[in-house]
């Protein structure tokens, strides 16, 4: 992730996030949190280091003590400019000094800590050497819901990101598809997402014809033909918050079977959306969508979970999958994206980002879910 979250977040916002994170960690039996450069650090402090290198940068959070950002001295001026900097103390270190000893001095040497999933093994192993009695758990394992519930300002940014992705689809449906390579349409998607305000494009899936049966197909050199079904799945970050939407289009008139499969997926997506309500389990969304597809005889061709959380990253907890009994809470944002994938033939996927509201769900993507004909 590049850049920082919007200036609309203040030092007080970041202070509240860090306090909540430290409190939640203590409630989970952790001695604290160790947050390396990445989306968690941006969300908690508004700081993105100018480069992620072998030099240690680490946010230390623990209940009852002030947040401390351990940072290389040569990057301290950048850290001081972060929106959340007034809410924490900076502890800089110079080359030739031991940053792990300095970090260990801030910690309970025998404690168990949550640590960012993307922390380098180099740093984790060095901390273990400095504190042989310490132990660690990944943040996704220890505090999976840390960023899951969005506040009003975050929901506003998520809504804007969804609208930008929708505007992209409304334009891409009018570009030529037939006789162009998948990579060319993918480049159009990238250009349009950026035109509509995305600073980062994470994926532009264009899966035509038989390639549509691969849910994560990378756009390739295949020339799109008249008569192809084409799965479009695209998104990224706008003002630091994610978009992700899928629509399936058809080049020219579809066959009756193609229309029928698309209608089944559309019905399944609607069923998944209608299952969204506070207190429902995440798996209820998956079950509702999957029941429609299985009931139509295509259950074996729905080969992935129904959805994933989204926020400052495009994939994060919670996950809409069988076995996930965690209840839905207002402010959660996640995808609802069932699909049918017929090997060697074609695929269909329809995806909206949905947020939980007091009486159900609200879609952040509103473009037509009916099968769109393109040229």
């Amino acid at each position: 992730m590049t850049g920082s979250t919007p200036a609309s977040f203040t030092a007080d916002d970041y202070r509240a996030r860090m306090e909540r994170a430290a409190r939640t960690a203590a409630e989970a039996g952790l001695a604290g949190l160790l947050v390396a450069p990445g989306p968690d650090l941006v969300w908690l402090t508004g700081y993105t280091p100018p480069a992620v290198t072998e030099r240690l940068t680490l946010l230390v959070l623990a209940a009852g003590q002030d947040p401390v950002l351990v940072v290389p001295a040569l990057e301290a001026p950048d850290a001081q400019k972060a929106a959340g900097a007034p809410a924490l103390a900076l502890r800089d270190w110079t080359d030739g000094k031991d940053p792990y000893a300095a970090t260990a001095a801030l910690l309970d040497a025998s404690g168990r800590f949550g640590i960012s999933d993307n922390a380098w093994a180099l740093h984790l192993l060095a901390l273990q050497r400095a504190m042989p009695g310490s132990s660690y758990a990944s943040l996704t394992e220890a505090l999976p819901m840390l960023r899951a519930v969005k506040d009003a300002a975050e929901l506003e940014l998520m809504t804007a990101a969804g609208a930008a992705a929708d505007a992209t689809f409304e334009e891409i449906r009018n570009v030529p598809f037939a006789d162009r390579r998948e990579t060319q349409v993918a480049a159009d998607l990238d250009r349009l997402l950026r035109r509509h305000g995305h600073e980062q494009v994470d994926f532009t899936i264009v899966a035509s014809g038989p390639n549509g049966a691969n849910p994560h197909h990378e756009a390739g050199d295949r020339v799109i033909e008249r008569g192809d079904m084409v799965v479009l799945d695209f998104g990224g970050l706008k003002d630091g918050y994610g978009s992700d939407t899928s629509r399936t289009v058809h080049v020219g008139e579809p066959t009756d079977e193609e229309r029928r499969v698309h209608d089944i997926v559309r019905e399944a997506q609607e069923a998944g959306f209608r299952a969204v309500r506070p207190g429902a389990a995440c798996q209820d969304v998956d079950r509702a969508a999957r029941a429609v597809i299985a009931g139509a005889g295509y259950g074996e061709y729905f080969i992935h979970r129904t959805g994933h959380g989204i926020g400052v990253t495009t994939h994060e907890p919670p996950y809409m999958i069988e076995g996930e009994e965690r209840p839905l809470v207002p402010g959660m944002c996640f995808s609802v994206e069932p699909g049918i994938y017929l090997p060697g033939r074609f695929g269909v996927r329809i995806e909206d980002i949905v947020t939980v509201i007091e009486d159900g769900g609200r879609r952040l993507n509103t473009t037509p879910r009916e099968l769109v004909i393109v040229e």
Side-chain angles (χ1 to χ4, degrees), residues 53-291:
T53 70
E54 74 284 354
R55 292 185 173 95
L56 179 71
T57 295
L58 200 67
L59 175 67
V60 178
L61 297 178
Q65 67 182 58
D66 292 336
V68 177
L69 182 64
V70 178
V71 63
L74 75 169
E75 295 174 4
D78 293 299
Q80 289 169 343
K81 297 175 184 176
L88 52 79
L90 288 180
R91 178 77 57 89
D92 62 5
W93 61 276
T94 56
D95 287 352
K97 302 294 185 181
D98 184 352
Y100 307 105
T103 302
L106 303 170
L107 302 172
D108 174 357
S110 60
R112 180 169 177 78
F113 300 93
I115 189 165
S116 303
D117 296 10
N118 55 332
W120 285 21
L122 168 74
H123 300 316
L124 176 56
L125 293 172
L127 284 170
Q128 287 178 316
R129 287 194 297 271
M131 301 185 299
S134 62
S135 60
Y136 302 85
S138 74
L139 278 188
T140 293
E141 173 191 336
L143 300 178
M145 294 295 104
L146 181 63
R147 304 192 316 254
V149 178
K150 277 63 178 178
D151 63 24
E154 290 181 294
L155 287 172
E156 184 177 339
L157 291 167
M158 291 289 301
T159 300
D166 284 356
T168 294
F169 177 72
E170 292 293 0
E171 291 195 48
I172 200 70
R173 62 187 289 184
N174 294 316
V175 308
F177 277 72
D179 302 322
R180 300 179 70 210
R181 298 187 187 278
E182 292 174 342
T183 50
Q184 292 176 295
V185 177
D188 288 340
L189 283 170
D190 186 292
R191 173 179 53 81
L192 290 169
L193 284 167
R194 294 182 190 279
R195 178 194 294 173
H196 290 290
H198 282 64
E199 71 272 9
Q200 178 175 315
V201 176
D202 287 345
F203 45 88
T204 52
I205 293 173
V206 179
S208 63
N211 290 339
N214 175 1
H216 280 176
H217 170 71
E218 293 282 345
D221 288 334
R222 184 181 185 276
V223 175
I224 301 169
E225 301 174 358
R226 189 162 296 278
D228 278 348
M229 194 80 90
V230 185
V231 178
L232 304 174
D233 185 346
F234 50 93
L237 298 181
K238 180 183 185 297
D239 293 330
Y241 280 77
S243 69
D244 184 2
T245 189
S246 300
R247 293 293 185 263
T248 302
V249 301
H250 197 277
V251 186
E253 285 301 314
T255 65
D256 289 344
E257 180 190 22
E258 288 170 331
R259 282 194 181 277
R260 183 172 66 254
V261 170
H262 191 278
D263 285 345
I264 292 166
V265 174
R266 181 161 58 92
E267 183 182 346
Q269 206 272 345
E270 178 68 19
F273 169 69
R274 292 191 179 280
V276 175
R277 63 185 184 280
C282 291
Q283 67 181 5
D284 292 342
V285 179
D286 183 83
R287 288 175 175 179
R290 201 168 298 277

